[in-house]
């Protein structure tokens, strides 16, 4: 913490290796970020997808913040499950907030934390794909933040919302964490490629993969409005 730099806030490894006076808190920070993306509407700048992919690579280190488990597979399962539960809880808070504050959000002025255009875009996205939007949104920054809020605003049936909420959170967490963990092992064992030596490249690729669809969607919408 002595060498803190503001750029650390967009660096996934900063959160994974986070410690205070030698006490490692990485797993708690990762879980909080997953919750915050939807529960606190801060998803537009937090490194969600790349964070989970790298969390898969460092799964043993993260779980050891809580307890020591020798079985590698159990480490990954436990981490992915904890992340999924955090994502579920975040979406529940987002849904509740949307159901209670829809009118307020549509009349709220833009700020650093809130952009109304993202809410409108997410509403259009939700109306196009319905309940499946909850699943699609998990893999898309910004949409991931506002999809549960929109679900609450449009009064999506709670049972239906919870079904898609739980399903999407487990698909998202298990896909990215398992991909990070086992791709790392596969490349290291078969090609002697250590992904830990290419973290910046991994982050750039993942950001590109997840951000490009969002940019395309916003760009297309802007052209239609012109």
């Amino acid at each position: 913490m002595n060498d803190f730099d503001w750029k650390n806030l967009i660096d996934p490894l900063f959160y994974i290796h986070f410690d205070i006076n030698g006490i490692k808190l990485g797993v708690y920070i990762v879980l909080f970020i997953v919750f915050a993306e939807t529960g606190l509407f801060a998803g537009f700048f937090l490194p969600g997808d790349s964070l989970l992919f790298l969390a898969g690579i460092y799964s043993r280190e993260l779980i050891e913040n809580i307890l020591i488990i020798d079985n590698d597979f159990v480490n990954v399962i436990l981490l992915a499950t904890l992340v999924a539960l955090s994502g579920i809880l975040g979406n529940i808070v987002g849904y509740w907030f949307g159901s209670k504050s829809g009118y307020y959000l549509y009349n709220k002025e833009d700020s650093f934390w809130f952009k109304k255009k993202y809410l409108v875009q997410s509403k259009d996205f939700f109306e196009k794909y319905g309940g499946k939007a909850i699943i699609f949104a998990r893999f898309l920054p910004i949409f991931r933040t506002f999809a549960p809020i929109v679900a609450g605003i449009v009064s999506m049936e709670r049972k239906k919302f919870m079904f898609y909420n739980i399903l999407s959170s487990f698909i998202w967490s298990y896909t990215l964490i398992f991909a990070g963990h086992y791709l790392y092992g596969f490349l290291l064992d078969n090609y002697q490629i250590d992904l830990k030596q290419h973290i910046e490249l991994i982050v750039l690729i993942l950001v590109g993969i997840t951000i490009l669809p969002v940019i395309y969607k916003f760009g297309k919408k802007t052209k239609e409005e012109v």
Side-chain angles (χ1 to χ4, degrees), residues 6 40 45 61-62 89 99 109 117 121 143 154 162 183 198 213 215 220 225:
W6 286 106
L40 301 179
F45 75 89
E61 176 181 325
L62 287 170
L89 183 59
S99 66
E109 294 184 0
K117 67 177 182 179
Q121 293 282 0
F143 288 118
V154 302
M162 282 304 299
L183 182 60
H198 305 282
I215 294 175
K220 183 177 180 182
E225 293 174 349

Side-chain angles (χ1 to χ4, degrees), residues 4 16 48 76 80 84 102 111 125 133 139 145 167 176 179 189 203 225:
F4 177 78
I16 290 174
V76 183
S111 66
F125 184 76
F139 295 87
T145 300
L167 179 63
L176 289 171
D189 294 340
V203 172
E225 293 174 349

Side-chain angles (χ1 to χ4, degrees), residues 2 25 40 55 70 75 84 87 102 112 118 120 146 156-157 159 164 191 211 217:
N2 294 330
L25 302 171
L40 301 179
D70 291 331
N75 274 309
F112 177 77
Y118 296 154
V120 174
F146 289 98
M156 182 180 185
E157 183 184 357
K159 289 183 178 179
Y164 284 108
Y191 301 99
I211 289 294
K217 177 69 177 177

Side-chain angles (χ1 to χ4, degrees), residues 3 5 47 49 67 71 80-81 84 97 99 112 114 128 130 134 142 146 155 178 195 199 212 215:
D3 299 322
D5 188 307
D49 298 306
L67 71 167
N71 190 302
T81 300
F97 187 80
S99 66
F112 177 77
F114 177 82
K128 180 177 181 179
I134 302 295
I142 299 174
F146 289 98
S155 300
F178 270 71
L195 291 182
I199 297 299
L212 284 177
I215 294 175

